[in-house]
């Protein structure tokens, strides 16, 4: 039976039936799809044809409805029927692709904590099955959620600090989603999962003394709490998160310092060191926050969960967002043993892929060039 036939059968037999969602087999090329689906659907389909096999549609927030007082999922693509049509077209082309929905984004409010994580999952699944799924297009709704909670340009904003309640909400909602068969991922800026330090804090207002100390929006291992023994596995004992994609392109990141700063480490060499460091792991002093009730412990991101995230650099040539050429990423892959290689790569974003990068006039298609060495779509170029 074809994938489409199976989906249609599930709708016919069980209405909005829940069935386990899965990532495509093999390496992942994860791409973000911001903006209007109506305007960008052809570009997104072409990107999937070239290599992207996990599309993260951008972005929703979790609010409390001011009128009803109930949990509400707000935002996302302007037209969910368009998303369903994209998914249908990719199935028609026999391009296995997962479709996830992002929660958060820079400057976005963090989830409303009037409700528990389990309550939020029930609200999210109801929304996904009743408002997003589209039986006529054989679309069962989003395959899962991608957590992209970050800070805010306003230095005084409340969203520059994670609350204890927010950490609990994300952790338990993620466990509930995974226990019920959905995909779940984290996309931390590099400082939010920083293997170079054991320090831990929920504030997102830190800075580095040795690299652009005037930039005040660093995290300090905040996302690592969700990889701890409290949230890192479901009650059934399975990993809560299908993948963790590290944003190396965080402004003035550790990667930026290592590659473009005084160390001047070749990009491929740095990527190899980084991948091995995440897999080896590091100690995080969670116990400095006594309210969280999480002990200091060793955290690691195994190859089977690790995804490395890239951007198109800085249009103003400032170096603020580090740019790494896809050929250097491919070189790093060749330097790693098969068992060391991460699950895949991620890039921001699909809509502008194929345009000039990093303030140059050189156009780069990251989907296609990552596919050259990951071989997600055979025969694509």
């Amino acid at each position: 039976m074809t994938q489409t036939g199976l989906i249609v059968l599930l709708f016919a037999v069980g209405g909005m039936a829940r069935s386990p969602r899965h990532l495509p087999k093999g390496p992942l090329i994860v791409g973000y799809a911001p903006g209007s689906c109506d305007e960008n659907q052809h570009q997104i389909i072409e990107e999937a044809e070239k290599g992207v096999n996990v599309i993260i549609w951008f972005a929703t927030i979790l609010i409390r409805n001011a009128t009803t007082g109930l949990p509400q999922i707000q935002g996302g693509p302007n037209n969910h029927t368009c998303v369903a049509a994209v998914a249908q077209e990719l199935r028609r082309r026999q391009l296995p692709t997962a479709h996830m929905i992002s929660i958060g984004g820079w400057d976005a409010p963090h989830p409303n904590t009037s409700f528990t994580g389990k309550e939020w999952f029930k609200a999210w699944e109801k929304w996904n099955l009743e408002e997003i799924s589209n039986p006529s297009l054989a679309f069962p709704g989003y395959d899962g959620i991608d957590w992209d909670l970050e800070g805010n340009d306003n230095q005084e904003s409340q969203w520059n600090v994670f609350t204890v309640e927010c950490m609990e909400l994300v952790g338990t909602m993620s466990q509930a989603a995974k226990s019920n068969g959905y995909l779940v991922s984290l996309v931390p800026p590099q400082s939010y999962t920083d293997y170079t330090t054991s320090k831990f804090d929920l504030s997102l207002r830190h800075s580095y003394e040795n690299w652009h100390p005037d930039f005040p929006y660093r995290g300090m291992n905040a996302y690592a709490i969700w990889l701890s023994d409290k949230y890192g596995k479901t009650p059934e004992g399975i990993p809560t998160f299908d993948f963790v994609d590290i944003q190396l392109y965080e402004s003035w990141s550790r990667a930026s310092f290592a590659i473009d700063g005084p160390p001047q480490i070749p990009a491929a060499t740095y990527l190899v060191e980084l991948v091995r460091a995440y897999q080896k792991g590091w100690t995080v002093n969670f116990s400095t926050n006594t309210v969280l009730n999480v002990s200091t412990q060793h955290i690691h991101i195994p190859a089977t969960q690790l995804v490395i995230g890239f951007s198109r650099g800085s249009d103003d040539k400032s170096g603020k967002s580090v740019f790494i050429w896809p050929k250097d990423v491919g070189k790093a892959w060749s330097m790693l043993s098969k068992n060391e290689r991460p699950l895949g790569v991620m890039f921001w974003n699909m809509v502008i892929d194929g345009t000039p990068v990093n303030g140059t006039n050189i156009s780069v298609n990251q989907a296609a060039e990552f596919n050259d060495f990951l071989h997600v779509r055979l025969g694509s170029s």
Side-chain angles (χ1 to χ4, degrees):
M1 180 179 290
T2 65
Q3 183 182 17
T4 301
L6 177 59
I7 293 171
V8 171
L9 178 61
L10 285 170
F11 279 123
V13 173
M16 300 301 175
R18 176 197 295 153
S19 60
R21 313 301 178 95
H22 301 284
L23 289 171
K25 294 180 180 179
L28 303 182
I29 300 179
V30 182
Y32 278 83
S36 166
C37 178
D38 290 323
E39 294 178 6
N40 301 319
Q41 67 178 110
H42 296 299
Q43 169 77 2
I44 291 167
I45 290 169
E46 288 180 6
E47 289 287 287
E49 186 86 55
K50 292 174 181 176
V52 174
N53 61 351
V54 178
I55 299 174
I56 300 181
W57 298 87
F58 192 81
T60 57
I61 57 175
L62 308 182
I63 67 169
R64 182 177 183 174
N65 185 285
T67 302
T68 66
L70 297 175
Q72 178 182 344
I73 291 79
Q74 186 180 79
N78 65 312
N79 182 349
H80 295 290
T81 301
C82 174
V83 174
V86 169
Q88 182 188 52
E89 176 60 19
L90 297 182
R91 288 195 305 274
R92 188 190 69 80
R93 299 189 188 191
Q94 299 183 348
L95 299 172
T97 308
H99 298 266
M100 301 176 69
I101 186 70
S102 174
I103 300 175
W106 185 259
D107 278 345
H110 298 169
N112 184 286
T113 56
S114 301
F115 312 97
T116 68
K118 289 183 179 180
E119 289 171 332
W120 265 119
F121 168 68
K122 290 180 180 178
W124 181 88
E125 184 176 48
K126 185 176 188 294
W127 169 81
N128 194 43
L129 295 179
E130 295 183 5
E131 297 185 35
I132 307 304
S133 67
N134 190 319
S136 67
L137 296 176
F139 182 59
Y142 295 110
D143 294 310
I145 54 178
D146 174 70
W147 291 106
D148 186 24
L149 305 183
E150 301 178 359
N152 193 284
D153 281 324
N154 179 359
Q155 293 189 31
E156 304 305 316
S157 170
Q158 68 184 97
W159 310 125
N160 281 319
V161 179
F162 284 129
T163 65
V164 170
E165 293 79 10
C166 179
M167 308 312 279
E168 174 75 7
L169 184 159
V170 172
T172 55
M173 181 177 173
S174 298
Q175 288 172 320
K178 191 61 193 171
S179 292
N180 284 279
Y182 290 97
L183 303 175
V184 190
S185 62
L186 298 171
V187 58
Q190 191 176 10
S191 67
Y192 294 25
T193 45
D194 186 357
Y195 61 77
T196 71
T197 180
S198 61
K199 293 180 180 179
F200 173 77
D201 192 35
L202 296 183
S203 171
L204 307 177
R205 287 287 321 283
H206 297 280
S207 59
Y208 296 153
E209 292 182 2
N210 64 340
W211 188 238
H212 293 272
D214 55 331
F215 182 75
Y217 298 110
R218 311 285 185 198
M220 191 176 282
N221 275 318
Y223 267 57
I225 192 75
W226 295 316
L227 302 174
S228 71
D229 57 13
K230 186 172 184 179
Y231 303 115
K233 290 187 177 180
T234 67
E236 298 81 16
I238 59 176
T240 302
F241 302 99
D242 293 273
F243 59 92
V244 181
D245 39 340
I246 310 297
Q247 295 183 46
L248 298 189
Y249 52 89
E250 174 188 25
S251 296
W252 307 118
S253 65
R254 297 283 193 198
S256 166
F257 172 75
I259 296 170
D260 296 332
Q264 290 289 297
I265 300 173
T269 301
Y270 176 75
L271 290 176
V272 169
E273 294 174 357
L274 175 135
V275 166
R276 289 173 175 164
Y278 274 121
Q279 293 180 30
K280 180 180 179 181
W282 72 108
T283 297
V284 182
N285 293 327
F286 297 119
S287 56
T288 55
N289 187 314
T290 57
V291 182
L292 284 167
N293 194 29
V294 178
S295 61
T296 292
Q297 60 191 267
H298 186 80
I299 296 296
H300 78 290
I301 307 175
T304 52
Q305 284 181 297
L306 183 61
V307 171
I308 308 300
F310 304 93
S311 78
R312 306 187 67 76
S314 306
D315 288 340
D316 61 2
K317 301 183 181 181
S318 66
K320 182 178 182 179
S321 178
V322 66
F323 177 71
I324 300 176
W325 294 96
K327 66 179 180 181
D328 288 325
V329 183
K331 183 178 180 181
W333 245 250
S334 69
M335 294 164 66
L336 292 163
S337 69
K338 184 177 179 180
N339 291 336
E340 289 179 311
R341 291 171 186 166
L343 180 58
V345 299
M346 173 271 283
F347 68 95
W348 177 272
N349 68 66
M350 298 169 71
V351 174
I352 58 174
D353 200 17
T355 62
V357 296
N358 207 33
T360 71
N361 60 359
I362 302 172
S363 296
V364 172
N365 189 283
Q366 288 172 302
E369 294 194 35
F370 289 144
N371 188 66
D372 285 344
F373 63 88
L374 290 176
H375 309 297
V376 170
R377 308 296 193 200
L378 299 179
S380 298
S381 61

